Amino acid sequence: MSAILASLIPTFLIIATGWLCRVTNFVSEPQWAGLERATYVIFFPALIIDTLSRADLTSVPVLGVGGALVGAILTMAVLVLGLRPILERRLGIDGPSFTSIFQGATRWNTFVGLAVAGSLYGQRGIALIAVAIAAMVPLLNLLAFYVFIRFAGRPKQSPWDILRSFVTNPFIWSCAIGLLLNVLVPPLPKPLAAYIDVMGRAALAAGLLIVGAGLDIRRLARPGIPHLLTAGLKLVLMPVMAVAYAGFIGVEGDDLTVTIVASSVPSASAAFVLARQMGGNAGLMAEILTLQTLLALISMPLLISVLG
């Protein structure tokens, strides 16, 4: 419980700081745009490279934990896509708003996962979260690209344009670099490793400040069905699915607990940045992220106790 609170309370406070900076105009709109771009292209990739390159992947069940998380993501993606006609017909959810619901139900907050798993199990917990990053990040970005292209109203792209966008996505190439450094390259020189580490740490504050800047407190005070539906799917159903797949594969003990952590954390601040970059409903995305962060203070300890 203390590890979860220690991770989620600062997360919420940083979001609140971003909101305060925007409403007081302490940071202007052009400055937010520059910070958003730097976070998307530099800080988030540095975090992924740093985590994957340093993790001891030989000491953890890569296929077991990774397979359970991939299974849960794919099942959730199929479920949410199946709900699309109902959401549009009954609630009037348009395409850009649906992309936020989809991201909110499927993506995960790497920072919180690293902090909680590291607090609980040290280097082994971090290695297991690195497995989750390698398994989930490329798949989630592929699914998100499909949803944005299909539902966000962007101009139709050729297969070559889609492939190029996917390959040049910062989250994809950073995963590839991190895994290559882990497998093929000896430990990096200390100055270079320290450089990547510092850049990666900047992703936490920058990403959450940007989320806060896009937040509309008035709408968050009256959460609607999209907010509550997404919270239920991500914070409750996703970890239940992951545990079901993990049990089938044979994952147990500490490895099962970290699987629960990775699947029960709130959605990622990167989802807001992606929504801004690709024409999604960024305001709704910010509200979903903030609400999930608050609810996770209660849901994560309960799920770890019950499912673990």
Side-chain angles (χ1 to χ4, degrees):
M1 181 67 178
S2 60
I4 295 168
L5 290 175
S7 302
L8 288 173
I9 291 176
T11 297
F12 176 74
L13 291 176
I14 297 171
I15 291 174
T17 302
W19 174 81
L20 188 62
C21 287
R22 182 184 61 81
V23 297
T24 60
N25 204 32
F26 181 75
V27 179
S28 65
E29 189 61 34
Q31 291 171 319
W32 283 118
L35 180 60
E36 179 183 304
R37 183 65 178 165
T39 302
Y40 181 66
V41 178
I42 301 173
F43 299 149
F44 278 133
L47 174 70
I48 293 172
I49 292 171
D50 182 56
T51 304
L52 288 178
S53 64
R54 294 197 297 173
D56 183 9
L57 300 179
T58 61
S59 65
V60 294
V62 174
L63 294 179
V65 173
L69 294 171
V70 166
I73 290 170
L74 290 175
T75 305
M76 181 62 74
V78 171
L79 174 61
V80 178
L81 288 170
L83 289 173
R84 165 64 182 155
I86 300 173
L87 294 173
E88 182 180 26
R89 185 169 57 251
R90 299 290 180 85
L91 302 178
I93 301 296
D94 60 12
S97 296
F98 176 73
T99 65
S100 294
I101 293 174
F102 183 89
Q103 285 204 100
T106 55
R107 297 185 77 102
W108 69 304
N109 193 314
T110 310
F111 313 117
V112 176
L114 279 168
V116 174
S119 297
L120 292 175
Y121 302 115
Q123 288 302 312
R124 181 175 178 82
I126 293 173
L128 285 164
I129 290 297
V131 170
I133 291 173
M136 297 168 73
V137 168
L139 175 60
L140 285 169
N141 278 276
L142 177 62
L143 292 170
F145 262 86
Y146 165 76
V147 169
F148 276 109
I149 292 169
R150 175 69 177 81
F151 298 107
R154 296 173 62 86
K156 188 175 181 180
Q157 294 182 299
S158 68
W160 169 249
D161 290 333
I162 295 172
L163 177 61
R164 183 176 58 185
S165 297
F166 180 72
V167 172
T168 57
N169 180 281
F171 297 92
I172 302 302
W173 57 254
S174 59
C175 276
I177 291 173
L179 290 172
L180 285 174
L181 290 175
N182 186 294
V183 175
L184 301 177
V185 181
L188 295 174
K190 287 187 177 180
L192 181 57
Y195 163 75
I196 297 174
D197 175 61
V198 172
M199 296 292 277
R201 290 176 184 273
L204 173 59
L208 294 173
L209 285 171
I210 293 167
V211 170
L215 187 62
D216 186 339
I217 293 293
R218 292 168 298 181
R219 287 186 58 185
L220 185 62
R222 300 185 299 275
I225 294 178
H227 303 78
L228 300 176
L229 172 65
T230 309
L233 292 174
K234 179 65 190 73
L235 300 181
V236 180
L237 187 56
M238 178 72 88
V240 170
M241 289 178 177
V243 168
Y245 281 111
F248 179 77
I249 296 172
V251 178
E252 56 186 16
D254 298 346
D255 302 336
L256 177 62
T257 302
V258 176
T259 303
I260 299 169
V261 169
S263 57
S264 64
V265 293
S267 191
S269 55
F272 175 82
V273 178
L274 195 60
R276 293 263 293 187
Q277 296 283 323
M278 298 196 66
N281 187 334
L284 176 60
M285 191 73 253
E287 294 152 16
I288 288 172
L289 290 170
T290 307
L291 181 63
Q292 286 189 9
T293 301
L294 288 171
L295 294 178
L297 292 167
I298 301 171
S299 65
M300 283 187 68
L302 287 176
L303 287 166
I304 291 172
S305 299
V306 173
L307 299 179

